[in-house]
Amino acid sequence: MEEKLEFTIASRADLEKIYHLIEKTGWGETLEEINRCFTVSPFGFLLLSGEKAKEIIAVAWFVSYGSFGFIGMVVVEPDYRGMGIGQAIMEEALA
């Protein structure tokens, strides 16, 4: 049976989990930098989590400035790479 994956918008309560995923993958953002991202875009972190483990599998940060915006900090848990998850979270962020 395939694990169900769920997209959610992160809250500041997810800050540590986001940081640990980013740290694990070597991106280098600090906890303070990620916290500042919440200040800039409080609803801007999109998470993809696994139903079974309740772990964060992927994260993307997006900011909208009305008619334009950007997506960054797209990170996928190493064990889940090569499965189309990066593409899936980008498509969800663009939706």
Side-chain angles (χ1 to χ4, degrees):
M1 179 191 234
E2 247 181 64
E3 181 177 7
K4 182 181 178 199
L5 301 177
E6 178 181 41
F7 290 105
T8 57
I9 299 297
S11 70
R12 283 193 194 263
D14 298 307
L15 183 65
E16 292 279 338
K17 291 178 185 177
I18 294 168
Y19 170 71
H20 288 298
L21 174 60
I22 291 171
E23 179 185 49
K24 181 179 186 178
T25 57
W27 272 65
E29 280 83 1
T30 66
L31 191 60
E32 293 78 22
E33 290 169 327
I34 297 166
N35 192 38
R36 267 187 255 131
C37 291
F38 272 106
T39 301
V40 170
S41 183
F43 304 103
F45 276 102
L46 177 64
L47 305 178
L48 181 60
S49 302
E51 182 181 52
K52 291 178 186 172
K54 297 293 183 196
E55 65 183 299
I56 295 175
I57 294 169
V59 62
W61 182 55
F62 56 94
V63 178
S64 174
Y65 293 105
S67 61
F68 73 97
F70 72 89
I71 300 171
M73 224 180 295
V74 179
V75 180
V76 177
E77 167 72 44
D79 292 342
Y80 288 85
R81 292 182 181 168
M83 300 178 185
I85 289 179
Q87 180 176 344
I89 200 164
M90 285 294 293
E91 288 172 0
E92 185 72 15
L94 288 168

